[in-house]
Each structure stands twice: as structure tokens, then as C-alpha cells.
Amino acid sequence: MKKKTGSSDRATQAIDAAVDASIASATKWSGVTREDLEGALMVVMHGQDPVAARNLIEYFHEHVLDPNAPDIDVLLAYIRHAFGRIVEDGKSADVAFGLTPGRGEYEREPHAGRDVAATAYVILLTRNGWTWLDAKGEVANLLFADGKGEGAVDKAYRIYGEALQHAPDPYLLDLLPSGTVLIKRDMST
């Protein structure tokens, strides 16, 4: 005799599937470090990366119920950023949280690495006797075709300059593209 599957059996199967999915998602974010979260937040706040935004949301969805979550300040920074874009800039929630580009914007290749390198190079050049304008032009020539990109170098410096300004030279040199030569200028002669 074939056993009839009742609604309680289906409910049990649904609960088991939900528990399995919950266990799978609980292990998905177990290796995330605070630096990973802060890096993803910087990318979302200063660029268009829906994958990073979605990852932040998934991570915090998983961890927000934990009252001992150590990364709650990163969550609050993310929420403050998004709420500010909604209230002050009139953005939709998807745009504010970085899930979709806003009107007139488009998804761009991630360029945080390039921007950090540009900022580091400008700082190193100015420490070695270059003027701000000359350093900015040199970096734009190195990182952009046809010397176009001084505006991008300006923006990169506005975003990362304060954080890198006091970093030691060896650290900044490690941020440059491989093979980059640091040219010193002695402006006193």
C-alpha cells in the first residue's frame, strides 16, 4: 500500500529545506574579516559595485541577529551612507545601497586599486620634490591613455589621500604597479 503524502509531510520537508539553506548560508560568510567588510564598504561608498553591495547585505543579514556581532559599526556606517543618499540626495533604496546604478550612471570596472596606486604615486612624487601639478600630470600619463585622467587622479586623491598621507614610503611603493620607477626631482638646482 502506497503511503499518502499529507500536508504535514510537505511542511516538514519545507522546514528541513529551510534549515539546510540556513546552515549553508551560515557557513558562506564564516571567513570574512573586518578588513574585508571595510574594503567592501569603501567600494560601495565610492563606486558602483552591486556585487560588493549584495555581499554586504547578505553578510549583515546573517549576522545582524547576533547581539555580540563585532562588526556592527561597519553596518551602521553602511546604513548611514545609504540613508543619507535616500534622504539628502533623493536616491532610491537600490541606488542608495549600491545595488543598482543611479540615473545617468553606469556600472564601471572596479578602479579602487588604480585609485589607491595613483594616490600613493602622487604622495611619493611630492615627497621627492615634485610639485602637486607635475606629480598629478605624471601619474595621469602613467595610468591613463593620452594623458587624460588628471580629474580621476584628483578624485582618487580626495578619496584616499588622507588615509595614505602618513604611510611610510616602502608601503606606498608596494601599492604602485610593478615596474613603476620613482623619479626624484631636486628643484634646488
Side-chain angles (χ1 to χ4, degrees):
M1 178 172 178
K2 190 173 182 182
K3 187 176 176 185
K4 237 182 175 180
T5 304
S7 62
S8 65
D9 288 340
R10 280 181 281 198
T12 303
Q13 290 172 349
I15 290 169
D16 288 344
V19 168
D20 290 344
S22 175
I23 290 170
S25 73
T27 58
K28 180 177 181 179
W29 302 108
S30 61
V32 173
T33 66
R34 180 174 182 82
E35 289 78 21
D36 295 335
L37 292 174
E38 290 172 348
L41 179 60
M42 287 294 110
V43 168
V44 170
M45 289 174 70
H46 297 293
Q48 302 293 328
D49 190 348
V51 174
R54 179 75 181 183
N55 288 343
L56 276 175
I57 291 169
E58 286 181 15
Y59 175 86
F60 285 120
H61 172 71
E62 180 180 309
H63 289 89
V64 76
L65 299 177
D66 179 3
N68 301 318
D71 306 312
I72 207 73
D73 57 325
V74 177
L75 171 62
L76 291 175
Y78 183 40
I79 290 173
R80 270 193 299 272
H81 166 74
F83 284 7
R85 292 192 75 195
I86 292 169
V87 173
E88 295 168 12
D89 302 335
K91 303 290 185 184
S92 71
D94 283 348
V95 171
F97 280 98
L99 295 170
T100 60
R103 178 177 287 162
E105 298 173 349
Y106 56 92
E107 288 188 32
R108 301 178 181 141
E109 290 293 318
H111 50 77
R114 179 203 68 199
D115 289 351
V116 168
T119 303
Y121 199 32
V122 166
I123 292 169
L124 286 167
L125 289 174
T126 56
R127 287 181 185 174
N128 284 287
W130 290 61
T131 66
W132 163 253
L133 288 175
D134 289 342
K136 182 172 69 167
E138 177 68 17
V139 172
N141 286 333
L142 174 70
L143 297 177
F144 298 92
D146 301 327
K148 296 179 182 176
E150 288 191 18
V153 174
D154 276 334
K155 183 177 180 183
Y157 192 85
R158 281 193 308 273
I159 294 170
Y160 300 106
E162 187 175 324
L164 295 176
Q165 190 63 42
H166 302 289
D169 287 0
Y171 177 79
L172 295 175
L173 285 167
D174 285 341
L175 298 175
L176 300 182
S178 62
T180 303
V181 177
L182 183 61
I183 302 168
K184 296 183 181 191
R185 279 199 178 163
D186 184 4
M187 302 305 274
S188 62
T189 57

